[in-house]
Amino acid sequence: MAASLRLAPVSTQGALFELFPVVNCRNESAARNAYGNAAQEAAYRLLAIDRIPIDGRYRVNFDGKRGDTYYEMKSLRLVGGKVIVYDCRIEKERATGVPLRYLLICHGLKKERADVLQKMLDGGLVFYDLPAELIHTYALTLKLRTVKTDARSRSEGRPGYRRPGYDKGYRNVSVSKMLKTPGVTITEKEIPNPLGAGCVVLRSVTWEAEG
C-alpha cells in the first residue's frame, strides 16, 4: 500500500537562499493561514528543514523533510494549544510507511495582522518535535467530532467541508494532555535565532508505547 502513495518531493531551492517573506493578513478569517505560513517559514529557516511545496500530482504532501524523515507541521498557541487531527490523514500518513514526525510550532501571537513572521521570531517560539505515531495513537482515543456543513461553510469552501475524507470527522488534540501520555520523554534546548529577538526552544519528544 505504501508504494501506491506517491510523496511530493522537497523544493530544489533551499529556504536559506529564498527571499525573507513579509507575511500579512487582512482579518481574522485570513489569520489562520497567515500564522500557519509564518510558522512553517520559521521552522524551515531555524531548523534547516527542507520545504515540500504543495503539488496536486501527488497523493501525499507533507510539509518538510530533513534527512530521511518527513515532517507534518502545525501552528498553534503556546498556551492551551490544540491540534485538529483528521482520521483520513492518520490513515494516509500511516500508509506511507516513511519515517514521519510532527513539528508543533507554538507562538504567542493572537491579534497581530502585519508582518506576522517577524513578530513570531521576535516574540519567541517553542518547537515540539514528536513522533507521528504518538499523536496518531492519542488522537484515536478521543471523541470523533463531526464537521458542521452549514450553507455558509460550504459556500466559503472552508477546509474539511468538501474534501473527501475530511467530512468524516476529526479529533481535537490538547498538546499539554497528550504530552502526559505514559512513556513520553521530553528533552529541551535553546537554539540560535539569528532572524529575530525572541528566544527559540526546541523540545524533542520520544515515546515508548506501553506493551
Side-chain angles (χ1 to χ4, degrees):
M1 186 174 185
S4 66
L5 297 182
R6 298 178 64 219
L7 306 185
V10 301
S11 171
T12 56
Q13 180 75 54
L16 295 178
F17 298 98
E18 295 178 351
L19 293 175
F20 192 80
V22 176
V23 181
N24 300 317
C25 50
R26 299 181 304 278
N27 49 46
E28 186 174 351
S29 62
R32 180 177 177 181
N33 285 338
Y35 282 25
N37 291 339
Q40 287 186 13
E41 193 68 38
Y44 295 138
R45 293 171 182 271
L46 295 176
L47 300 181
I49 294 175
D50 293 324
R51 75 180 69 234
I52 299 179
I54 295 176
D55 190 332
R57 295 174 298 174
Y58 297 88
R59 287 193 62 191
V60 180
N61 282 256
F62 291 123
D63 294 313
K65 187 180 182 185
R66 186 170 59 192
D68 294 327
T69 300
Y70 287 85
Y71 279 90
E72 186 72 5
M73 301 182 186
K74 302 292 182 182
S75 165
L76 60 152
R77 293 292 307 279
L78 183 60
V79 178
K82 294 184 178 181
V83 178
I84 293 177
V85 181
Y86 290 89
D87 283 18
C88 63
R89 282 293 306 186
I90 293 176
E91 181 179 354
K92 184 178 288 188
E93 289 170 4
R94 284 176 165 176
T96 63
V98 299
L100 175 64
R101 295 181 70 83
Y102 267 64
L103 187 70
L104 308 183
I105 309 163
C106 305
H107 58 82
L109 301 190
K110 187 175 182 180
K111 296 184 178 181
E112 301 293 344
R113 298 290 179 262
D115 207 2
V116 172
L117 172 57
Q118 191 60 60
K119 287 175 180 174
M120 277 190 182
L121 293 166
D122 288 338
L125 293 164
V126 176
F127 295 109
Y128 284 95
D129 183 339
L130 55 92
E133 192 56 30
L134 169 60
I135 198 166
H136 291 167
T137 301
Y138 182 79
L140 291 173
T141 68
L142 304 176
K143 177 182 177 181
L144 180 65
R145 300 171 182 268
T146 56
V147 180
K148 296 179 180 179
T149 53
D150 55 74
R152 177 184 175 188
S153 299
R154 289 193 299 271
S155 66
E156 292 180 357
R158 294 179 183 176
Y161 291 97
R162 293 189 293 184
R163 297 168 64 185
Y166 287 75
D167 56 351
K168 303 297 183 182
Y170 63 93
R171 322 277 175 155
N172 210 6
V173 176
S174 164
V175 174
S176 61
K177 292 180 180 179
M178 177 185 65
L179 293 176
K180 295 178 182 178
T181 300
V184 166
T185 301
I186 303 174
T187 58
E188 177 177 310
K189 67 176 180 180
E190 186 174 340
I191 62 174
N193 178 14
L195 304 174
C199 175
V200 177
V201 174
L202 173 62
R203 293 175 179 164
S204 300
V205 180
T206 59
W207 178 52
E208 294 186 8
E210 293 183 322

